[in-house]
Tab-separated table of all heavy atoms in Angstrom:
chain	number	residue	atom	x	y	z
A	256	VAL	N	-22.574	15.912	13.750
A	256	VAL	CA	-23.398	16.796	14.581
A	256	VAL	C	-22.633	17.242	15.815
A	256	VAL	O	-22.702	18.404	16.229
A	256	VAL	CB	-24.708	16.088	14.970
A	256	VAL	CG1	-25.480	16.905	16.007
A	256	VAL	CG2	-25.582	15.848	13.739
A	257	ALA	N	-21.857	16.326	16.398
A	257	ALA	CA	-21.078	16.668	17.586
A	257	ALA	C	-20.056	17.756	17.289
A	257	ALA	O	-19.670	18.520	18.186
A	257	ALA	CB	-20.377	15.422	18.134
A	258	ARG	N	-19.621	17.852	16.033
A	258	ARG	CA	-18.644	18.874	15.640
A	258	ARG	C	-19.307	20.107	15.012
A	258	ARG	O	-18.624	20.957	14.463
A	258	ARG	CB	-17.622	18.278	14.678
A	258	ARG	CG	-16.813	17.135	15.294
A	258	ARG	CD	-15.557	16.889	14.516
A	258	ARG	NE	-14.807	15.743	15.021
A	258	ARG	CZ	-13.556	15.471	14.694
A	258	ARG	NH1	-12.895	16.264	13.856
A	258	ARG	NH2	-12.938	14.422	15.187
A	259	GLY	N	-20.633	20.153	15.092
A	259	GLY	CA	-21.335	21.358	14.673
A	259	GLY	C	-21.642	21.477	13.198
A	259	GLY	O	-21.887	22.592	12.713
A	260	LEU	N	-21.662	20.360	12.461
A	260	LEU	CA	-21.967	20.414	11.031
A	260	LEU	C	-23.442	20.100	10.792
A	260	LEU	O	-24.009	19.213	11.438
A	260	LEU	CB	-21.110	19.410	10.248
A	260	LEU	CG	-19.678	19.843	9.940
A	260	LEU	CD1	-18.768	19.572	11.127
A	260	LEU	CD2	-19.144	19.110	8.704
A	261	GLN	N	-24.053	20.826	9.863
A	261	GLN	CA	-25.439	20.566	9.496
A	261	GLN	C	-25.522	19.230	8.772
A	261	GLN	O	-24.910	19.050	7.718
A	261	GLN	CB	-25.979	21.679	8.604
A	261	GLN	CG	-26.045	23.043	9.270
A	261	GLN	CD	-26.708	24.076	8.380
A	261	GLN	OE1	-27.542	23.747	7.543
A	261	GLN	NE2	-26.336	25.334	8.567
A	262	THR	N	-26.282	18.304	9.318
A	262	THR	CA	-26.286	16.930	8.823
A	262	THR	C	-27.718	16.431	8.668
A	262	THR	O	-28.566	16.690	9.524
A	262	THR	CB	-25.517	15.998	9.790
A	262	THR	OG1	-24.205	16.531	10.000
A	262	THR	CG2	-25.417	14.596	9.231
A	263	THR	N	-27.968	15.704	7.596
A	263	THR	CA	-29.260	15.067	7.370
A	263	THR	C	-29.026	13.581	7.165
A	263	THR	O	-28.316	13.181	6.228
A	263	THR	CB	-29.972	15.656	6.135
A	263	THR	OG1	-30.159	17.057	6.316
A	263	THR	CG2	-31.323	14.983	5.930
A	264	LEU	N	-29.607	12.754	8.028
A	264	LEU	CA	-29.478	11.303	7.923
A	264	LEU	C	-30.648	10.780	7.093
A	264	LEU	O	-31.809	11.080	7.382
A	264	LEU	CB	-29.487	10.667	9.307
A	264	LEU	CG	-29.327	9.145	9.365
A	264	LEU	CD1	-27.945	8.728	8.871
A	264	LEU	CD2	-29.560	8.626	10.790
A	265	ILE	N	-30.339	10.029	6.041
A	265	ILE	CA	-31.384	9.517	5.156
A	265	ILE	C	-31.264	8.005	5.029
A	265	ILE	O	-30.204	7.423	5.294
A	265	ILE	CB	-31.292	10.159	3.751
A	265	ILE	CG1	-29.955	9.804	3.077
A	265	ILE	CG2	-31.478	11.667	3.841
A	265	ILE	CD1	-29.822	10.299	1.645
A	266	THR	N	-32.349	7.359	4.629
A	266	THR	CA	-32.299	5.926	4.343
A	266	THR	C	-31.569	5.717	3.021
A	266	THR	O	-31.459	6.624	2.190
A	266	THR	CB	-33.713	5.339	4.245
A	266	THR	OG1	-34.403	5.979	3.160
A	266	THR	CG2	-34.480	5.562	5.537
A	267	ASP	N	-31.081	4.522	2.818
A	267	ASP	CA	-30.365	4.234	1.575
A	267	ASP	C	-31.271	4.412	0.352
A	267	ASP	O	-30.817	4.868	-0.704
A	267	ASP	CB	-29.815	2.809	1.607
A	267	ASP	CG	-28.807	2.617	2.735
A	267	ASP	OD1	-28.152	3.606	3.108
A	267	ASP	OD2	-28.678	1.490	3.231
A	268	SER	N	-32.535	4.054	0.491
A	268	SER	CA	-33.467	4.173	-0.635
A	268	SER	C	-33.755	5.622	-0.991
A	268	SER	O	-34.224	5.912	-2.097
A	268	SER	CB	-34.777	3.451	-0.310
A	268	SER	OG	-35.377	4.013	0.852
A	269	ALA	N	-33.461	6.563	-0.067
A	269	ALA	CA	-33.732	7.979	-0.328
A	269	ALA	C	-32.616	8.653	-1.113
A	269	ALA	O	-32.746	9.825	-1.482
A	269	ALA	CB	-33.935	8.714	0.999
A	270	VAL	N	-31.538	7.933	-1.383
A	270	VAL	CA	-30.424	8.525	-2.122
A	270	VAL	C	-30.894	9.028	-3.486
A	270	VAL	O	-30.523	10.120	-3.931
A	270	VAL	CB	-29.282	7.502	-2.275
A	270	VAL	CG1	-28.258	7.992	-3.294
A	270	VAL	CG2	-28.621	7.247	-0.929
A	271	PHE	N	-31.724	8.240	-4.156
A	271	PHE	CA	-32.169	8.621	-5.499
A	271	PHE	C	-33.048	9.869	-5.462
A	271	PHE	O	-33.074	10.637	-6.418
A	271	PHE	CB	-32.926	7.456	-6.144
A	271	PHE	CG	-32.057	6.262	-6.389
A	271	PHE	CD1	-32.050	5.200	-5.500
A	271	PHE	CD2	-31.221	6.204	-7.498
A	271	PHE	CE1	-31.237	4.100	-5.715
A	271	PHE	CE2	-30.412	5.108	-7.717
A	271	PHE	CZ	-30.413	4.050	-6.828
A	272	ALA	N	-33.749	10.068	-4.362
A	272	ALA	CA	-34.587	11.256	-4.248
A	272	ALA	C	-33.751	12.501	-3.952
A	272	ALA	O	-34.142	13.615	-4.320
A	272	ALA	CB	-35.629	11.053	-3.149
A	273	MET	N	-32.603	12.330	-3.300
A	273	MET	CA	-31.777	13.458	-2.882
A	273	MET	C	-30.636	13.775	-3.845
A	273	MET	O	-30.048	14.843	-3.774
A	273	MET	CB	-31.177	13.174	-1.496
A	273	MET	CG	-32.215	13.004	-0.397
A	273	MET	SD	-33.091	14.556	-0.087
A	273	MET	CE	-34.185	14.059	1.255
A	274	ILE	N	-30.347	12.859	-4.758
A	274	ILE	CA	-29.138	12.996	-5.559
A	274	ILE	C	-29.156	14.239	-6.437
A	274	ILE	O	-28.103	14.821	-6.743
A	274	ILE	CB	-28.930	11.731	-6.431
A	274	ILE	CG1	-27.501	11.664	-6.972
A	274	ILE	CG2	-29.933	11.673	-7.564
A	274	ILE	CD1	-26.455	11.433	-5.938
A	275	SER	N	-30.335	14.697	-6.836
A	275	SER	CA	-30.404	15.876	-7.698
A	275	SER	C	-29.977	17.143	-6.973
A	275	SER	O	-29.629	18.148	-7.609
A	275	SER	CB	-31.829	16.044	-8.245
A	275	SER	OG	-32.748	16.221	-7.177
A	276	ARG	N	-29.971	17.127	-5.635
A	276	ARG	CA	-29.576	18.299	-4.855
A	276	ARG	C	-28.106	18.273	-4.472
A	276	ARG	O	-27.588	19.220	-3.875
A	276	ARG	CB	-30.421	18.378	-3.577
A	276	ARG	CG	-31.913	18.482	-3.826
A	276	ARG	CD	-32.695	18.338	-2.540
A	276	ARG	NE	-32.289	19.316	-1.535
A	276	ARG	CZ	-32.747	19.331	-0.279
A	276	ARG	NH1	-33.624	18.421	0.115
A	276	ARG	NH2	-32.318	20.250	0.570
A	277	VAL	N	-27.425	17.187	-4.825
A	277	VAL	CA	-26.060	16.965	-4.343
A	277	VAL	C	-25.034	17.523	-5.325
A	277	VAL	O	-25.159	17.356	-6.538
A	277	VAL	CB	-25.827	15.462	-4.121
A	277	VAL	CG1	-24.352	15.176	-3.853
A	277	VAL	CG2	-26.688	14.963	-2.957
A	278	ASN	N	-24.015	18.210	-4.796
A	278	ASN	CA	-22.895	18.696	-5.605
A	278	ASN	C	-21.730	17.705	-5.630
A	278	ASN	O	-20.976	17.638	-6.594
A	278	ASN	CB	-22.373	20.029	-5.062
A	278	ASN	CG	-23.460	21.080	-4.981
A	278	ASN	OD1	-23.885	21.449	-3.891
A	278	ASN	ND2	-23.924	21.550	-6.123
A	279	MET	N	-21.520	16.955	-4.546
A	279	MET	CA	-20.401	16.012	-4.429
A	279	MET	C	-20.938	14.685	-3.881
A	279	MET	O	-21.741	14.665	-2.956
A	279	MET	CB	-19.334	16.541	-3.474
A	279	MET	CG	-18.638	17.800	-3.945
A	279	MET	SD	-17.331	18.296	-2.794
A	279	MET	CE	-16.752	19.780	-3.610
A	280	LEU	N	-20.389	13.576	-4.427
A	280	LEU	CA	-20.712	12.214	-3.965
A	280	LEU	C	-19.455	11.553	-3.435
A	280	LEU	O	-18.460	11.455	-4.131
A	280	LEU	CB	-21.307	11.409	-5.129
A	280	LEU	CG	-21.600	9.953	-4.861
A	280	LEU	CD1	-22.580	9.802	-3.687
A	280	LEU	CD2	-22.089	9.261	-6.088
A	281	CYS	N	-19.486	11.146	-2.174
A	281	CYS	CA	-18.306	10.518	-1.556
A	281	CYS	C	-18.639	9.077	-1.181
A	281	CYS	O	-19.158	8.816	-0.098
A	281	CYS	CB	-17.877	11.290	-0.308
A	281	CYS	SG	-16.460	10.556	0.520
A	282	PRO	N	-18.360	8.103	-2.069
A	282	PRO	CA	-18.604	6.699	-1.734
A	282	PRO	C	-17.545	6.193	-0.781
A	282	PRO	O	-16.473	6.788	-0.640
A	282	PRO	CB	-18.512	5.995	-3.094
A	282	PRO	CG	-17.556	6.848	-3.859
A	282	PRO	CD	-17.777	8.270	-3.390
A	283	LEU	N	-17.834	5.075	-0.131
A	283	LEU	CA	-16.875	4.525	0.814
A	283	LEU	C	-15.695	3.891	0.096
A	283	LEU	O	-14.549	4.175	0.378
A	283	LEU	CB	-17.575	3.489	1.720
A	283	LEU	CG	-16.728	2.910	2.843
A	283	LEU	CD1	-16.266	4.018	3.771
A	283	LEU	CD2	-17.515	1.872	3.625
A	284	TYR	N	-15.972	3.026	-0.878
A	284	TYR	CA	-14.907	2.365	-1.628
A	284	TYR	C	-15.307	2.262	-3.104
A	284	TYR	O	-15.986	1.318	-3.490
A	284	TYR	CB	-14.646	0.945	-1.109
A	284	TYR	CG	-13.999	0.872	0.225
A	284	TYR	CD1	-14.727	0.537	1.357
A	284	TYR	CD2	-12.647	1.139	0.376
A	284	TYR	CE1	-14.126	0.471	2.600
A	284	TYR	CE2	-12.049	1.066	1.617
A	284	TYR	CZ	-12.789	0.722	2.712
A	284	TYR	OH	-12.195	0.653	3.940
A	285	PRO	N	-14.952	3.211	-3.942
A	285	PRO	CA	-15.273	3.068	-5.359
A	285	PRO	C	-14.295	2.113	-6.027
A	285	PRO	O	-13.087	2.288	-5.931
A	285	PRO	CB	-15.097	4.487	-5.903
A	285	PRO	CG	-14.099	5.106	-5.000
A	285	PRO	CD	-14.267	4.475	-3.647
A	286	HIS	N	-14.806	1.095	-6.703
A	286	HIS	CA	-13.926	0.202	-7.460
A	286	HIS	C	-14.750	-0.486	-8.535
A	286	HIS	O	-15.980	-0.474	-8.508
A	286	HIS	CB	-13.238	-0.828	-6.551
A	286	HIS	CG	-14.186	-1.739	-5.839
A	286	HIS	ND1	-14.762	-2.832	-6.421
A	286	HIS	CD2	-14.672	-1.696	-4.583
A	286	HIS	CE1	-15.545	-3.449	-5.559
A	286	HIS	NE2	-15.516	-2.780	-4.446
A	287	ASN	N	-14.094	-1.070	-9.468
A	287	ASN	CA	-14.738	-1.666	-10.627
A	287	ASN	C	-15.080	-3.123	-10.351
A	287	ASN	O	-14.180	-3.947	-10.182
A	287	ASN	CB	-13.796	-1.578	-11.835
A	287	ASN	CG	-14.505	-1.917	-13.130
A	287	ASN	OD1	-15.541	-2.575	-13.133
A	287	ASN	ND2	-13.949	-1.464	-14.243
A	288	PRO	N	-16.347	-3.506	-10.325
A	288	PRO	CA	-16.701	-4.896	-10.020
A	288	PRO	C	-16.275	-5.862	-11.103
A	288	PRO	O	-16.185	-7.060	-10.856
A	288	PRO	CB	-18.235	-4.839	-9.901
A	288	PRO	CG	-18.636	-3.658	-10.712
A	288	PRO	CD	-17.520	-2.659	-10.581
A	289	GLU	N	-15.978	-5.362	-12.308
A	289	GLU	CA	-15.495	-6.249	-13.356
A	289	GLU	C	-14.065	-6.701	-13.088
A	289	GLU	O	-13.620	-7.722	-13.581
A	289	GLU	CB	-15.583	-5.544	-14.712
A	289	GLU	CG	-17.018	-5.212	-15.126
A	289	GLU	CD	-17.057	-4.451	-16.436
A	289	GLU	OE1	-15.963	-4.167	-16.975
A	289	GLU	OE2	-18.159	-4.151	-16.907
A	290	VAL	N	-13.329	-5.902	-12.318
A	290	VAL	CA	-11.953	-6.241	-11.980
A	290	VAL	C	-11.882	-6.989	-10.655
A	290	VAL	O	-11.165	-7.972	-10.501
A	290	VAL	CB	-11.080	-4.965	-11.910
A	290	VAL	CG1	-9.661	-5.306	-11.480
A	290	VAL	CG2	-11.079	-4.276	-13.260
A	291	LEU	N	-12.651	-6.541	-9.693
A	291	LEU	CA	-12.604	-7.133	-8.369
A	291	LEU	C	-14.020	-7.285	-7.847
A	291	LEU	O	-14.776	-6.317	-7.801
A	291	LEU	CB	-11.806	-6.235	-7.416
A	291	LEU	CG	-11.420	-6.834	-6.074
A	291	LEU	CD1	-10.484	-8.017	-6.279
A	291	LEU	CD2	-10.733	-5.795	-5.205
A	292	LEU	N	-14.394	-8.476	-7.440
A	292	LEU	CA	-15.753	-8.727	-6.976
A	292	LEU	C	-16.024	-7.992	-5.673
A	292	LEU	O	-15.134	-7.765	-4.862
A	292	LEU	CB	-15.967	-10.237	-6.773
A	292	LEU	CG	-15.881	-11.100	-8.036
A	292	LEU	CD1	-16.048	-12.566	-7.677
A	292	LEU	CD2	-16.945	-10.690	-9.044
A	293	ASN	N	-17.279	-7.625	-5.480
A	293	ASN	CA	-17.685	-6.972	-4.248
A	293	ASN	C	-17.592	-7.961	-3.087
A	293	ASN	O	-17.661	-9.174	-3.279
A	293	ASN	CB	-19.129	-6.475	-4.391
A	293	ASN	CG	-19.431	-5.316	-3.475
A	293	ASN	OD1	-18.892	-5.239	-2.376
A	293	ASN	ND2	-20.290	-4.419	-3.916
A	294	GLU	N	-17.423	-7.441	-1.904
A	294	GLU	CA	-17.389	-8.303	-0.716
A	294	GLU	C	-18.810	-8.569	-0.252
A	294	GLU	O	-19.568	-7.639	0.026
A	294	GLU	CB	-16.595	-7.636	0.408
A	294	GLU	CG	-16.566	-8.483	1.677
A	294	GLU	CD	-15.803	-7.812	2.801
A	294	GLU	OE1	-15.202	-6.757	2.559
A	294	GLU	OE2	-15.836	-8.342	3.926
A	295	LEU	N	-19.170	-9.833	-0.182
A	295	LEU	CA	-20.492	-10.227	0.287
A	295	LEU	C	-20.396	-10.602	1.758
A	295	LEU	O	-19.719	-11.560	2.126
A	295	LEU	CB	-21.037	-11.392	-0.546
A	295	LEU	CG	-21.209	-11.112	-2.043
A	295	LEU	CD1	-21.729	-12.350	-2.758
A	295	LEU	CD2	-22.151	-9.937	-2.261
A	296	ARG	N	-21.074	-9.840	2.604
A	296	ARG	CA	-21.010	-10.064	4.042
A	296	ARG	C	-22.001	-11.130	4.457
A	296	ARG	O	-22.831	-11.604	3.666
A	296	ARG	CB	-21.257	-8.749	4.778
A	296	ARG	CG	-20.209	-7.677	4.458
A	296	ARG	CD	-20.385	-6.472	5.342
A	296	ARG	NE	-20.189	-6.820	6.741
A	296	ARG	CZ	-18.993	-6.848	7.346
A	296	ARG	NH1	-17.909	-6.544	6.667
A	296	ARG	NH2	-18.888	-7.170	8.613
A	297	SER	N	-21.951	-11.507	5.732
A	297	SER	CA	-22.753	-12.595	6.256
A	297	SER	C	-24.251	-12.302	6.165
A	297	SER	O	-24.694	-11.179	6.457
A	297	SER	CB	-22.384	-12.847	7.722
A	297	SER	OG	-23.291	-13.764	8.312
A	298	PRO	N	-25.074	-13.297	5.777
A	298	PRO	CA	-26.532	-13.110	5.764
A	298	PRO	C	-27.103	-12.839	7.153
A	298	PRO	O	-28.212	-12.324	7.272
A	298	PRO	CB	-27.056	-14.437	5.211
A	298	PRO	CG	-25.900	-15.040	4.493
A	298	PRO	CD	-24.672	-14.593	5.243
A	299	SER	N	-26.339	-13.185	8.207
A	299	SER	CA	-26.837	-12.996	9.573
A	299	SER	C	-27.061	-11.531	9.911
A	299	SER	O	-27.768	-11.216	10.870
A	299	SER	CB	-25.864	-13.613	10.584
A	299	SER	OG	-24.617	-12.949	10.546
A	300	GLU	N	-26.452	-10.613	9.123
A	300	GLU	CA	-26.698	-9.196	9.353
A	300	GLU	C	-28.105	-8.790	8.920
A	300	GLU	O	-28.621	-7.753	9.342
A	300	GLU	CB	-25.659	-8.355	8.612
A	300	GLU	CG	-24.245	-8.536	9.138
A	300	GLU	CD	-23.227	-7.683	8.395
A	300	GLU	OE1	-23.586	-7.103	7.355
A	300	GLU	OE2	-22.066	-7.595	8.868
Side-chain angles (χ1 to χ4, degrees):
V256 171
R258 298 199 184 194
L260 280 83
Q261 296 185 28
T262 306
T263 301
L264 181 66
I265 62 175
T266 62
D267 298 331
S268 60
V270 168
F271 295 98
M273 298 293 181
I274 196 68
S275 61
R276 300 171 56 186
V277 170
N278 304 110
M279 295 183 181
L280 176 58
C281 179
L283 185 60
Y284 289 104
H286 61 80
N287 192 339
E289 296 177 358
V290 177
L291 192 63
L292 296 177
N293 205 327
E294 178 181 354
L295 299 179
R296 299 188 62 86
S297 171
S299 64
E300 294 180 350

